[in-house]
């Protein structure tokens, strides 16, 4: 298996393993986006603290993803498979960049466009 194929393999494993945690994180990001674009029903001040929750849940998700394949765990996925360490690192970085950084960045951009903020 090539390194690129291993990156995809580890990414899919992480997405499967943490699907519920990622779903909660994406839900929090969706609520924060709904508040940012001022959707009806999301304009209450209780939704004003959603970005703090996005950051908090993002840190929890990132830590969980990285520690899932910790080198000191006996049942770590990479220890049972002949995976390149750089492929595991690349997969973790890709998932973090796409899910943890990318999704809220799109929501933030939507909020800025909805408020007509100049470039």
């Amino acid at each position: 298996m090539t390194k690129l194929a291993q990156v995809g393999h580890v990414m899919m494993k992480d997405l499967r393993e943490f699907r519920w945690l990622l779903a909660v994180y994406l839900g929090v990001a969706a609520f924060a986006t709904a508040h940012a674009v001022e959707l009806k029903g999301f304009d209450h001040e209780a939704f004003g603290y959603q970005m703090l929750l996005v950051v908090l849940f993002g840190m929890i998700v990132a830590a969980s993803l990285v520690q899932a394949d910790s080198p000191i765990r006996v049942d770590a996925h990479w220890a049972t498979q002949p995976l390149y360490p750089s492929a595991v690192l690349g997969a973790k970085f890709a998932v973090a960049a796409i899910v943890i950084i990318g999704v809220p960045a799109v929501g933030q951009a939507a909020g800025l466009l909805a408020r007509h903020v100049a470039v």
Side-chain angles (χ1 to χ4, degrees):
M1 185 182 295
T2 65
K3 280 188 182 182
L4 190 58
Q6 288 180 3
V7 168
H9 177 73
V10 174
M11 283 178 64
M12 292 308 295
K13 185 224 32 123
D14 285 342
L15 292 175
R16 265 192 322 272
E17 188 174 318
F18 293 102
R19 64 182 170 265
W20 294 111
L21 186 61
L22 291 170
V24 169
Y25 176 70
L26 294 176
V28 169
F31 278 126
T33 301
H35 177 71
V37 298
E38 299 175 339
L39 285 180
K40 188 172 182 161
F42 290 96
D43 54 355
H44 192 269
E45 64 187 47
F47 289 105
Y49 297 102
Q50 287 294 325
M51 285 313 294
L52 293 174
L53 290 177
V54 170
V55 172
L56 178 66
F57 275 93
M59 290 188 301
I60 292 169
V61 170
S64 298
L65 283 171
V66 171
Q67 287 300 316
D69 292 320
S70 175
I72 59 172
R73 281 186 42 199
V74 178
D75 62 343
H77 178 71
W78 69 269
T80 60
Q81 302 290 327
L83 299 175
Y84 292 104
S86 59
V88 175
L89 176 66
K92 301 298 180 178
F93 181 75
V95 170
I98 293 168
V99 177
I100 299 173
I101 297 171
V103 172
V106 170
Q108 195 69 21
L112 292 173
L113 289 173
R115 296 176 188 261
H116 306 292
V117 175
V119 177

